[in-house]
Amino acid sequence: MTVLSVNVNKVAVLRNSRGGSEPSVVAAAEAAIAAGAGGITVHPRPDQRHIRPDDVVALAATVAGRVEYNLEGNPFAPPRPGYPGFLALVAAVRPTQATLVPDGDGQLTSDHGFDLARDAARLRPLVAELKAMGVRVSLFMDAGAPGLALAADMGVDRIELYTGPYAEAHAGGDAAAALAMCAATAREAQALGLGVNAGHDLSQANLGDFLRGVPGVLEVSIGHALFGEALHAGLGPTVRAYLAIIAAANGR
């Protein structure tokens, strides 16, 4: 069964726009877990535009022993005041999974995966360090990206397919080619012994088609669309609607 990991970054965006502590990212995580989510995802950025290091710690205590905790971030981004660096955050909270993402400071959102021909040598010691912490490691990768064997060779456990292009194609009414590319990349990864996650711009409108077209997806990380939908329907009902889509696509 595909795990739904709810990304609560958007709750932090709303909180930070006003200051103070409301709405609470911990309360949002609690509501998502109560509704059946199997994981909580956060992506702390060095500029602290949404999730902050103190949120990472508070959420770790909230999810401990209950659901998976997925910490996303750029392992190459250097520490700076208020941000200790991605590996330091992982070391502090020991999440279930560390998802490495090659996002720069100026990016509005993650919009591409790693180029392993360029990045594998730099990633290898960082992956080894994370694995030594007992953390599952996933790499954010484009559908169709070459060099997945390099990921397997460096000890990565999973890849996360960047699904933005698929979501855009789906919204345009012709997702067949993008879906086929995702499926081919997933099959290649699975043949190498890598698990497959997926995320970015997945929504109630496109998730079912994606999971039916790409079998064996272990986890989907969804935040932006889910919280946009929850503004109208409520967080609990929205999480349960996603779980129903996942169950139907997984044949349950």
Side-chain angles (χ1 to χ4, degrees):
M1 184 74 166
T2 306
V3 171
L4 171 64
S5 189
V6 174
N7 187 318
V8 297
N9 281 5
K10 284 297 181 289
V11 179
V13 170
L14 184 58
R15 176 200 62 195
N16 294 354
S17 71
R18 181 69 179 264
S21 59
E22 295 296 332
S24 164
V25 294
V26 168
E30 289 280 9
I33 294 167
I40 296 297
T41 290
V42 289
H43 187 150
R45 291 176 181 268
D47 63 9
Q48 302 185 65
R49 70 181 75 167
H50 36 62
I51 290 293
R52 302 185 300 242
D54 60 312
D55 295 322
V56 172
V57 174
L59 286 165
T62 299
V63 305
R66 302 169 69 191
V67 298
E68 293 198 347
Y69 192 28
N70 177 38
L71 197 61
E72 298 180 342
N74 184 350
F76 302 145
R80 62 202 70 181
Y83 179 78
F86 182 71
L87 266 69
L89 284 174
V90 173
V93 301
R94 305 298 171 105
T96 315
Q97 177 173 270
T99 299
L100 310 186
V101 184
D103 55 345
D105 285 2
Q107 285 181 235
L108 183 61
T109 185
S110 306
D111 60 13
H112 64 280
F114 282 101
D115 176 351
L116 292 182
R118 180 191 65 206
D119 297 325
R122 295 175 69 199
L123 284 168
R124 186 178 295 274
L126 303 179
V127 169
E129 189 173 342
L130 291 166
K131 296 282 287 182
M133 297 178 197
V135 175
R136 188 171 71 223
V137 179
S138 179
L139 293 185
F140 197 61
M141 298 295 297
D142 296 318
L148 291 185
L150 288 170
D153 181 65
M154 72 176 74
V156 167
D157 300 290
R158 299 185 182 182
I159 64 166
E160 179 176 328
L161 286 172
Y162 168 48
T163 49
Y166 158 75
E168 183 177 357
H170 192 281
D174 186 9
L179 188 60
M181 186 171 291
C182 288
T185 305
R187 287 193 297 269
E188 180 185 356
Q190 290 157 351
L192 290 165
L194 297 169
V196 176
N197 298 339
H200 208 90
D201 291 338
L202 293 174
S203 68
Q204 291 186 54
N206 60 40
L207 179 59
D209 288 343
F210 179 80
L211 292 177
R212 283 185 289 272
V214 187
V217 174
L218 299 173
E219 172 193 288
V220 287
S221 174
I222 305 177
H224 183 79
L226 189 152
F227 279 98
E229 293 157 348
L231 288 174
H232 307 285
L235 182 53
T238 301
V239 169
R240 289 189 287 272
Y242 274 94
L243 292 172
I245 291 168
I246 290 170
N250 287 176
R252 298 189 180 186

mmCIF file of all heavy atoms in Angstrom, residues 35-87:
data_model
loop_
_atom_site.group_PDB
_atom_site.id
_atom_site.type_symbol
_atom_site.label_atom_id
_atom_site.label_comp_id
_atom_site.label_asym_id
_atom_site.label_seq_id
_atom_site.Cartn_x
_atom_site.Cartn_y
_atom_site.Cartn_z
ATOM 1 N N ALA A 35 -6.301 11.469 10.744
ATOM 2 C CA ALA A 35 -7.109 11.119 9.571
ATOM 3 C C ALA A 35 -6.554 9.914 8.818
ATOM 4 O O ALA A 35 -7.179 9.449 7.873
ATOM 5 C CB ALA A 35 -7.209 12.320 8.636
ATOM 6 N N GLY A 36 -5.369 9.428 9.212
ATOM 7 C CA GLY A 36 -4.839 8.219 8.606
ATOM 8 C C GLY A 36 -3.577 8.366 7.795
ATOM 9 O O GLY A 36 -3.106 7.383 7.200
ATOM 10 N N ALA A 37 -3.002 9.570 7.726
ATOM 11 C CA ALA A 37 -1.746 9.734 6.986
ATOM 12 C C ALA A 37 -0.673 8.826 7.572
ATOM 13 O O ALA A 37 -0.589 8.650 8.786
ATOM 14 C CB ALA A 37 -1.277 11.187 7.036
ATOM 15 N N GLY A 38 0.155 8.268 6.696
ATOM 16 C CA GLY A 38 1.193 7.363 7.141
ATOM 17 C C GLY A 38 2.536 8.022 7.338
ATOM 18 O O GLY A 38 3.509 7.358 7.718
ATOM 19 N N GLY A 39 2.614 9.330 7.069
ATOM 20 C CA GLY A 39 3.876 10.020 7.225
ATOM 21 C C GLY A 39 3.681 11.526 7.236
ATOM 22 O O GLY A 39 2.645 12.041 6.798
ATOM 23 N N ILE A 40 4.671 12.222 7.742
ATOM 24 C CA ILE A 40 4.722 13.687 7.718
ATOM 25 C C ILE A 40 6.036 14.076 7.056
ATOM 26 O O ILE A 40 7.107 13.547 7.390
ATOM 27 C CB ILE A 40 4.653 14.285 9.136
ATOM 28 C CG1 ILE A 40 3.316 13.952 9.800
ATOM 29 C CG2 ILE A 40 4.881 15.799 9.107
ATOM 30 C CD1 ILE A 40 2.082 14.535 9.107
ATOM 31 N N THR A 41 5.949 15.010 6.117
ATOM 32 C CA THR A 41 7.113 15.508 5.387
ATOM 33 C C THR A 41 7.314 16.989 5.682
ATOM 34 O O THR A 41 6.339 17.747 5.778
ATOM 35 C CB THR A 41 6.924 15.318 3.870
ATOM 36 O OG1 THR A 41 6.979 13.923 3.552
ATOM 37 C CG2 THR A 41 7.999 16.039 3.063
ATOM 38 N N VAL A 42 8.570 17.396 5.819
ATOM 39 C CA VAL A 42 8.911 18.820 5.867
ATOM 40 C C VAL A 42 10.170 19.048 5.039
ATOM 41 O O VAL A 42 10.998 18.151 4.890
ATOM 42 C CB VAL A 42 9.125 19.354 7.307
ATOM 43 C CG1 VAL A 42 7.819 19.431 8.052
ATOM 44 C CG2 VAL A 42 10.129 18.513 8.071
ATOM 45 N N HIS A 43 10.275 20.249 4.515
ATOM 46 C CA HIS A 43 11.425 20.619 3.695
ATOM 47 C C HIS A 43 11.968 21.947 4.229
ATOM 48 O O HIS A 43 11.646 23.018 3.709
ATOM 49 C CB HIS A 43 11.000 20.755 2.234
ATOM 50 C CG HIS A 43 12.133 20.980 1.288
ATOM 51 N ND1 HIS A 43 12.102 20.549 -0.014
ATOM 52 C CD2 HIS A 43 13.330 21.601 1.432
ATOM 53 C CE1 HIS A 43 13.222 20.888 -0.634
ATOM 54 N NE2 HIS A 43 13.984 21.534 0.235
ATOM 55 N N PRO A 44 12.786 21.901 5.280
ATOM 56 C CA PRO A 44 13.359 23.143 5.811
ATOM 57 C C PRO A 44 14.382 23.726 4.842
ATOM 58 O O PRO A 44 15.259 23.018 4.364
ATOM 59 C CB PRO A 44 14.026 22.689 7.111
ATOM 60 C CG PRO A 44 14.346 21.245 6.878
ATOM 61 C CD PRO A 44 13.253 20.712 6.011
ATOM 62 N N ARG A 45 14.251 25.003 4.549
ATOM 63 C CA ARG A 45 15.195 25.672 3.651
ATOM 64 C C ARG A 45 16.082 26.623 4.463
ATOM 65 O O ARG A 45 15.673 27.118 5.521
ATOM 66 C CB ARG A 45 14.442 26.445 2.574
ATOM 67 C CG ARG A 45 13.724 25.535 1.578
ATOM 68 C CD ARG A 45 12.914 26.360 0.579
ATOM 69 N NE ARG A 45 12.205 25.513 -0.365
ATOM 70 C CZ ARG A 45 12.690 25.128 -1.543
ATOM 71 N NH1 ARG A 45 13.887 25.524 -1.915
ATOM 72 N NH2 ARG A 45 11.980 24.358 -2.347
ATOM 73 N N PRO A 46 17.270 26.888 3.944
ATOM 74 C CA PRO A 46 18.177 27.769 4.692
ATOM 75 C C PRO A 46 17.604 29.146 4.991
ATOM 76 O O PRO A 46 17.946 29.752 6.018
ATOM 77 C CB PRO A 46 19.401 27.859 3.770
ATOM 78 C CG PRO A 46 19.392 26.571 3.013
ATOM 79 C CD PRO A 46 17.938 26.283 2.770
ATOM 80 N N ASP A 47 16.732 29.675 4.108
ATOM 81 C CA ASP A 47 16.176 31.006 4.353
ATOM 82 C C ASP A 47 14.993 30.986 5.308
ATOM 83 O O ASP A 47 14.430 32.037 5.625
ATOM 84 C CB ASP A 47 15.792 31.688 3.037
ATOM 85 C CG ASP A 47 14.700 30.948 2.266
ATOM 86 O OD1 ASP A 47 14.103 29.989 2.810
ATOM 87 O OD2 ASP A 47 14.441 31.339 1.106
ATOM 88 N N GLN A 48 14.604 29.790 5.776
ATOM 89 C CA GLN A 48 13.523 29.627 6.759
ATOM 90 C C GLN A 48 12.223 30.275 6.295
ATOM 91 O O GLN A 48 11.480 30.828 7.093
ATOM 92 C CB GLN A 48 13.953 30.166 8.127
ATOM 93 C CG GLN A 48 15.202 29.484 8.656
ATOM 94 C CD GLN A 48 15.574 29.920 10.054
ATOM 95 O OE1 GLN A 48 14.854 29.673 11.005
ATOM 96 N NE2 GLN A 48 16.722 30.592 10.177
ATOM 97 N N ARG A 49 11.967 30.176 5.003
ATOM 98 C CA ARG A 49 10.745 30.779 4.459
ATOM 99 C C ARG A 49 9.479 30.089 4.953
ATOM 100 O O ARG A 49 8.384 30.661 4.887
ATOM 101 C CB ARG A 49 10.776 30.763 2.928
ATOM 102 C CG ARG A 49 10.635 29.387 2.312
ATOM 103 C CD ARG A 49 10.700 29.405 0.805
ATOM 104 N NE ARG A 49 12.052 29.599 0.316
ATOM 105 C CZ ARG A 49 12.394 29.398 -0.959
ATOM 106 N NH1 ARG A 49 11.497 29.017 -1.836
ATOM 107 N NH2 ARG A 49 13.647 29.576 -1.328
ATOM 108 N N HIS A 50 9.605 28.850 5.403
ATOM 109 C CA HIS A 50 8.440 28.159 5.971
ATOM 110 C C HIS A 50 8.879 27.333 7.185
ATOM 111 O O HIS A 50 8.919 27.863 8.282
ATOM 112 C CB HIS A 50 7.686 27.335 4.927
ATOM 113 C CG HIS A 50 8.501 26.660 3.883
ATOM 114 N ND1 HIS A 50 9.452 25.698 4.168
ATOM 115 C CD2 HIS A 50 8.514 26.806 2.526
ATOM 116 C CE1 HIS A 50 9.993 25.264 3.045
ATOM 117 N NE2 HIS A 50 9.449 25.919 2.025
ATOM 118 N N ILE A 51 9.202 26.066 7.001
ATOM 119 C CA ILE A 51 9.604 25.233 8.128
ATOM 120 C C ILE A 51 10.957 25.688 8.678
ATOM 121 O O ILE A 51 11.898 25.901 7.927
ATOM 122 C CB ILE A 51 9.674 23.758 7.695
ATOM 123 C CG1 ILE A 51 8.269 23.208 7.427
ATOM 124 C CG2 ILE A 51 10.389 22.903 8.744
ATOM 125 C CD1 ILE A 51 7.399 23.107 8.660
ATOM 126 N N ARG A 52 11.017 25.848 10.010
ATOM 127 C CA ARG A 52 12.245 26.273 10.679
ATOM 128 C C ARG A 52 12.866 25.098 11.431
ATOM 129 O O ARG A 52 12.192 24.093 11.691
ATOM 130 C CB ARG A 52 11.924 27.404 11.656
ATOM 131 C CG ARG A 52 11.265 28.626 11.012
ATOM 132 C CD ARG A 52 11.086 29.741 12.014
ATOM 133 N NE ARG A 52 10.243 29.365 13.135
ATOM 134 C CZ ARG A 52 9.078 29.964 13.438
ATOM 135 N NH1 ARG A 52 8.629 30.953 12.686
ATOM 136 N NH2 ARG A 52 8.387 29.583 14.493
ATOM 137 N N PRO A 53 14.136 25.201 11.782
ATOM 138 C CA PRO A 53 14.752 24.106 12.535
ATOM 139 C C PRO A 53 13.994 23.717 13.799
ATOM 140 O O PRO A 53 13.927 22.535 14.153
ATOM 141 C CB PRO A 53 16.148 24.647 12.846
ATOM 142 C CG PRO A 53 16.461 25.521 11.672
ATOM 143 C CD PRO A 53 15.152 26.196 11.362
ATOM 144 N N ASP A 54 13.400 24.688 14.519
ATOM 145 C CA ASP A 54 12.645 24.328 15.718
ATOM 146 C C ASP A 54 11.397 23.532 15.376
ATOM 147 O O ASP A 54 10.964 22.667 16.156
ATOM 148 C CB ASP A 54 12.302 25.582 16.539
ATOM 149 C CG ASP A 54 11.459 26.587 15.782
ATOM 150 O OD1 ASP A 54 11.796 26.910 14.628
ATOM 151 O OD2 ASP A 54 10.464 27.069 16.351
ATOM 152 N N ASP A 55 10.804 23.781 14.195
ATOM 153 C CA ASP A 55 9.677 22.968 13.740
ATOM 154 C C ASP A 55 10.109 21.528 13.492
ATOM 155 O O ASP A 55 9.375 20.582 13.797
ATOM 156 C CB ASP A 55 9.095 23.517 12.437
ATOM 157 C CG ASP A 55 8.479 24.891 12.567
ATOM 158 O OD1 ASP A 55 7.842 25.164 13.600
ATOM 159 O OD2 ASP A 55 8.643 25.700 11.630
ATOM 160 N N VAL A 56 11.289 21.372 12.897
ATOM 161 C CA VAL A 56 11.807 20.037 12.610
ATOM 162 C C VAL A 56 11.889 19.217 13.895
ATOM 163 O O VAL A 56 11.495 18.048 13.943
ATOM 164 C CB VAL A 56 13.181 20.123 11.916
ATOM 165 C CG1 VAL A 56 13.820 18.746 11.795
ATOM 166 C CG2 VAL A 56 13.050 20.773 10.554
ATOM 167 N N VAL A 57 12.370 19.833 14.956
ATOM 168 C CA VAL A 57 12.511 19.147 16.244
ATOM 169 C C VAL A 57 11.145 18.863 16.852
ATOM 170 O O VAL A 57 10.875 17.755 17.350
ATOM 171 C CB VAL A 57 13.380 19.983 17.199
ATOM 172 C CG1 VAL A 57 13.418 19.359 18.585
ATOM 173 C CG2 VAL A 57 14.792 20.125 16.635
ATOM 174 N N ALA A 58 10.250 19.846 16.841
ATOM 175 C CA ALA A 58 8.919 19.663 17.429
ATOM 176 C C ALA A 58 8.132 18.573 16.707
ATOM 177 O O ALA A 58 7.459 17.749 17.342
ATOM 178 C CB ALA A 58 8.148 20.980 17.390
ATOM 179 N N LEU A 59 8.230 18.539 15.393
ATOM 180 C CA LEU A 59 7.509 17.522 14.631
ATOM 181 C C LEU A 59 8.100 16.139 14.853
ATOM 182 O O LEU A 59 7.371 15.142 14.860
ATOM 183 C CB LEU A 59 7.514 17.881 13.149
ATOM 184 C CG LEU A 59 6.593 19.029 12.775
ATOM 185 C CD1 LEU A 59 6.927 19.564 11.385
ATOM 186 C CD2 LEU A 59 5.125 18.584 12.824
ATOM 187 N N ALA A 60 9.413 16.068 15.036
ATOM 188 C CA ALA A 60 10.037 14.771 15.316
ATOM 189 C C ALA A 60 9.444 14.164 16.577
ATOM 190 O O ALA A 60 9.165 12.954 16.630
ATOM 191 C CB ALA A 60 11.547 14.930 15.449
ATOM 192 N N ALA A 61 9.238 14.980 17.600
ATOM 193 C CA ALA A 61 8.645 14.479 18.838
ATOM 194 C C ALA A 61 7.187 14.082 18.629
ATOM 195 O O ALA A 61 6.704 13.104 19.220
ATOM 196 C CB ALA A 61 8.747 15.551 19.931
ATOM 197 N N THR A 62 6.496 14.801 17.764
ATOM 198 C CA THR A 62 5.081 14.525 17.509
ATOM 199 C C THR A 62 4.880 13.196 16.781
ATOM 200 O O THR A 62 3.964 12.432 17.104
ATOM 201 C CB THR A 62 4.471 15.666 16.672
ATOM 202 O OG1 THR A 62 4.565 16.890 17.407
ATOM 203 C CG2 THR A 62 3.009 15.390 16.338
ATOM 204 N N VAL A 63 5.713 12.908 15.805
ATOM 205 C CA VAL A 63 5.491 11.722 14.966
ATOM 206 C C VAL A 63 6.185 10.480 15.517
ATOM 207 O O VAL A 63 5.881 9.366 15.055
ATOM 208 C CB VAL A 63 5.967 11.967 13.525
ATOM 209 C CG1 VAL A 63 5.304 13.203 12.940
ATOM 210 C CG2 VAL A 63 7.488 12.094 13.428
ATOM 211 N N ALA A 64 7.080 10.629 16.472
ATOM 212 C CA ALA A 64 7.903 9.505 16.938
ATOM 213 C C ALA A 64 7.061 8.311 17.346
ATOM 214 O O ALA A 64 6.142 8.428 18.169
ATOM 215 C CB ALA A 64 8.775 9.955 18.112
ATOM 216 N N GLY A 65 7.357 7.160 16.741
ATOM 217 C CA GLY A 65 6.656 5.926 17.065
ATOM 218 C C GLY A 65 5.259 5.824 16.511
ATOM 219 O O GLY A 65 4.549 4.854 16.807
ATOM 220 N N ARG A 66 4.848 6.791 15.683
ATOM 221 C CA ARG A 66 3.482 6.800 15.174
ATOM 222 C C ARG A 66 3.440 6.637 13.661
ATOM 223 O O ARG A 66 2.747 5.760 13.147
ATOM 224 C CB ARG A 66 2.785 8.112 15.591
ATOM 225 C CG ARG A 66 2.745 8.328 17.088
ATOM 226 C CD ARG A 66 2.288 9.733 17.428
ATOM 227 N NE ARG A 66 0.892 9.937 17.109
ATOM 228 C CZ ARG A 66 0.299 11.133 17.111
ATOM 229 N NH1 ARG A 66 1.021 12.220 17.402
ATOM 230 N NH2 ARG A 66 -0.976 11.254 16.815
ATOM 231 N N VAL A 67 4.148 7.513 12.954
ATOM 232 C CA VAL A 67 4.180 7.463 11.491
ATOM 233 C C VAL A 67 5.594 7.777 11.030
ATOM 234 O O VAL A 67 6.453 8.157 11.826
ATOM 235 C CB VAL A 67 3.191 8.467 10.852
ATOM 236 C CG1 VAL A 67 1.746 8.153 11.233
ATOM 237 C CG2 VAL A 67 3.547 9.905 11.225
ATOM 238 N N GLU A 68 5.835 7.643 9.740
ATOM 239 C CA GLU A 68 7.149 7.957 9.202
ATOM 240 C C GLU A 68 7.383 9.474 9.191
ATOM 241 O O GLU A 68 6.435 10.258 9.084
ATOM 242 C CB GLU A 68 7.282 7.406 7.778
ATOM 243 C CG GLU A 68 7.271 5.887 7.726
ATOM 244 C CD GLU A 68 7.820 5.345 6.424
ATOM 245 O OE1 GLU A 68 7.984 6.130 5.467
ATOM 246 O OE2 GLU A 68 8.089 4.132 6.371
ATOM 247 N N TYR A 69 8.639 9.835 9.292
ATOM 248 C CA TYR A 69 9.035 11.244 9.247
ATOM 249 C C TYR A 69 10.034 11.387 8.106
ATOM 250 O O TYR A 69 11.081 10.729 8.087
ATOM 251 C CB TYR A 69 9.667 11.642 10.576
ATOM 252 C CG TYR A 69 9.880 13.122 10.788
ATOM 253 C CD1 TYR A 69 9.078 14.080 10.177
ATOM 254 C CD2 TYR A 69 10.873 13.577 11.659
ATOM 255 C CE1 TYR A 69 9.268 15.434 10.405
ATOM 256 C CE2 TYR A 69 11.069 14.914 11.913
ATOM 257 C CZ TYR A 69 10.256 15.846 11.274
ATOM 258 O OH TYR A 69 10.447 17.190 11.514
ATOM 259 N N ASN A 70 9.705 12.254 7.158
ATOM 260 C CA ASN A 70 10.519 12.454 5.962
ATOM 261 C C ASN A 70 11.053 13.879 5.960
ATOM 262 O O ASN A 70 10.285 14.834 5.909
ATOM 263 C CB ASN A 70 9.662 12.202 4.710
ATOM 264 C CG ASN A 70 10.411 12.469 3.422
ATOM 265 O OD1 ASN A 70 11.596 12.165 3.306
ATOM 266 N ND2 ASN A 70 9.729 13.042 2.446
ATOM 267 N N LEU A 71 12.363 13.996 6.034
ATOM 268 C CA LEU A 71 13.006 15.307 6.039
ATOM 269 C C LEU A 71 13.660 15.531 4.682
ATOM 270 O O LEU A 71 14.508 14.737 4.263
ATOM 271 C CB LEU A 71 14.049 15.350 7.154
ATOM 272 C CG LEU A 71 14.574 16.714 7.604
ATOM 273 C CD1 LEU A 71 13.437 17.567 8.145
ATOM 274 C CD2 LEU A 71 15.642 16.536 8.681
ATOM 275 N N GLU A 72 13.242 16.592 3.986
ATOM 276 C CA GLU A 72 13.770 16.905 2.659
ATOM 277 C C GLU A 72 14.728 18.095 2.748
ATOM 278 O O GLU A 72 14.529 18.995 3.572
ATOM 279 C CB GLU A 72 12.630 17.289 1.708
ATOM 280 C CG GLU A 72 11.603 16.205 1.476
ATOM 281 C CD GLU A 72 10.508 16.643 0.520
ATOM 282 O OE1 GLU A 72 10.342 17.862 0.303
ATOM 283 O OE2 GLU A 72 9.801 15.762 -0.007
ATOM 284 N N GLY A 73 15.714 18.105 1.857
ATOM 285 C CA GLY A 73 16.580 19.267 1.810
ATOM 286 C C GLY A 73 17.784 19.079 0.910
ATOM 287 O O GLY A 73 18.067 17.969 0.447
ATOM 288 N N ASN A 74 18.468 20.188 0.677
ATOM 289 C CA ASN A 74 19.664 20.195 -0.156
ATOM 290 C C ASN A 74 20.891 19.915 0.717
ATOM 291 O O ASN A 74 21.256 20.737 1.562
ATOM 292 C CB ASN A 74 19.810 21.557 -0.835
ATOM 293 C CG ASN A 74 20.983 21.612 -1.799
ATOM 294 O OD1 ASN A 74 21.808 20.705 -1.852
ATOM 295 N ND2 ASN A 74 21.062 22.687 -2.563
ATOM 296 N N PRO A 75 21.547 18.767 0.527
ATOM 297 C CA PRO A 75 22.689 18.444 1.392
ATOM 298 C C PRO A 75 23.918 19.299 1.115
ATOM 299 O O PRO A 75 24.863 19.306 1.909
ATOM 300 C CB PRO A 75 22.964 16.978 1.057
ATOM 301 C CG PRO A 75 22.543 16.854 -0.381
ATOM 302 C CD PRO A 75 21.331 17.744 -0.501
ATOM 303 N N PHE A 76 23.910 20.023 -0.019
ATOM 304 C CA PHE A 76 25.048 20.856 -0.384
ATOM 305 C C PHE A 76 24.947 22.282 0.167
ATOM 306 O O PHE A 76 25.920 23.032 0.127
ATOM 307 C CB PHE A 76 25.186 20.950 -1.903
ATOM 308 C CG PHE A 76 25.352 19.619 -2.594
ATOM 309 C CD1 PHE A 76 24.783 19.414 -3.846
ATOM 310 C CD2 PHE A 76 26.064 18.593 -2.020
ATOM 311 C CE1 PHE A 76 24.932 18.197 -4.500
ATOM 312 C CE2 PHE A 76 26.216 17.365 -2.661
ATOM 313 C CZ PHE A 76 25.647 17.172 -3.914
ATOM 314 N N ALA A 77 23.771 22.676 0.650
ATOM 315 C CA ALA A 77 23.589 24.043 1.144
ATOM 316 C C ALA A 77 24.374 24.229 2.438
ATOM 317 O O ALA A 77 24.199 23.458 3.386
ATOM 318 C CB ALA A 77 22.109 24.331 1.379
ATOM 319 N N PRO A 78 25.242 25.228 2.518
ATOM 320 C CA PRO A 78 26.077 25.386 3.713
ATOM 321 C C PRO A 78 25.274 25.908 4.898
ATOM 322 O O PRO A 78 24.248 26.571 4.726
ATOM 323 C CB PRO A 78 27.117 26.415 3.271
ATOM 324 C CG PRO A 78 26.442 27.210 2.211
ATOM 325 C CD PRO A 78 25.543 26.241 1.485
ATOM 326 N N PRO A 79 25.728 25.616 6.119
ATOM 327 C CA PRO A 79 25.089 26.201 7.305
ATOM 328 C C PRO A 79 25.184 27.722 7.271
ATOM 329 O O PRO A 79 26.063 28.295 6.637
ATOM 330 C CB PRO A 79 25.910 25.624 8.465
ATOM 331 C CG PRO A 79 26.617 24.447 7.903
ATOM 332 C CD PRO A 79 26.864 24.754 6.452
ATOM 333 N N ARG A 80 24.256 28.343 7.977
ATOM 334 C CA ARG A 80 24.256 29.793 8.109
ATOM 335 C C ARG A 80 23.481 30.140 9.371
ATOM 336 O O ARG A 80 22.860 29.259 9.976
ATOM 337 C CB ARG A 80 23.635 30.451 6.871
ATOM 338 C CG ARG A 80 22.179 30.088 6.618
ATOM 339 C CD ARG A 80 21.788 30.311 5.183
ATOM 340 N NE ARG A 80 22.437 29.334 4.302
ATOM 341 C CZ ARG A 80 22.274 29.313 2.974
ATOM 342 N NH1 ARG A 80 21.535 30.238 2.381
ATOM 343 N NH2 ARG A 80 22.863 28.395 2.247
ATOM 344 N N PRO A 81 23.487 31.388 9.814
ATOM 345 C CA PRO A 81 22.784 31.727 11.053
ATOM 346 C C PRO A 81 21.334 31.256 11.044
ATOM 347 O O PRO A 81 20.582 31.556 10.115
ATOM 348 C CB PRO A 81 22.884 33.254 11.104
ATOM 349 C CG PRO A 81 24.153 33.557 10.369
ATOM 350 C CD PRO A 81 24.206 32.556 9.257
ATOM 351 N N GLY A 82 20.960 30.501 12.029
ATOM 352 C CA GLY A 82 19.598 29.997 12.136
ATOM 353 C C GLY A 82 19.350 28.684 11.427
ATOM 354 O O GLY A 82 18.300 28.062 11.615
ATOM 355 N N TYR A 83 20.307 28.252 10.591
ATOM 356 C CA TYR A 83 20.147 27.006 9.838
ATOM 357 C C TYR A 83 21.434 26.216 9.957
ATOM 358 O O TYR A 83 22.476 26.625 9.421
ATOM 359 C CB TYR A 83 19.832 27.301 8.369
ATOM 360 C CG TYR A 83 19.682 26.060 7.508
ATOM 361 C CD1 TYR A 83 18.521 25.310 7.554
ATOM 362 C CD2 TYR A 83 20.709 25.642 6.664
ATOM 363 C CE1 TYR A 83 18.370 24.166 6.776
ATOM 364 C CE2 TYR A 83 20.576 24.504 5.876
ATOM 365 C CZ TYR A 83 19.404 23.773 5.940
ATOM 366 O OH TYR A 83 19.278 22.636 5.169
ATOM 367 N N PRO A 84 21.410 25.075 10.640
ATOM 368 C CA PRO A 84 22.657 24.365 10.923
ATOM 369 C C PRO A 84 23.180 23.513 9.777
ATOM 370 O O PRO A 84 24.282 22.961 9.873
ATOM 371 C CB PRO A 84 22.269 23.469 12.107
ATOM 372 C CG PRO A 84 20.820 23.170 11.868
ATOM 373 C CD PRO A 84 20.248 24.454 11.290
ATOM 374 N N GLY A 85 22.395 23.403 8.700
ATOM 375 C CA GLY A 85 22.734 22.499 7.607
ATOM 376 C C GLY A 85 21.844 21.275 7.642
ATOM 377 O O GLY A 85 21.375 20.848 8.702
ATOM 378 N N PHE A 86 21.615 20.690 6.465
ATOM 379 C CA PHE A 86 20.667 19.591 6.364
ATOM 380 C C PHE A 86 21.130 18.366 7.154
ATOM 381 O O PHE A 86 20.351 17.770 7.905
ATOM 382 C CB PHE A 86 20.436 19.222 4.893
ATOM 383 C CG PHE A 86 19.430 18.131 4.709
ATOM 384 C CD1 PHE A 86 18.089 18.363 4.937
ATOM 385 C CD2 PHE A 86 19.823 16.861 4.305
ATOM 386 C CE1 PHE A 86 17.149 17.354 4.778
ATOM 387 C CE2 PHE A 86 18.897 15.850 4.131
ATOM 388 C CZ PHE A 86 17.555 16.096 4.369
ATOM 389 N N LEU A 87 22.382 17.984 7.008
ATOM 390 C CA LEU A 87 22.839 16.784 7.707
ATOM 391 C C LEU A 87 22.807 16.971 9.219
ATOM 392 O O LEU A 87 22.550 16.019 9.966
ATOM 393 C CB LEU A 87 24.234 16.375 7.234
ATOM 394 C CG LEU A 87 24.238 15.335 6.103
ATOM 395 C CD1 LEU A 87 23.726 15.925 4.815
ATOM 396 C CD2 LEU A 87 25.607 14.714 5.906
#
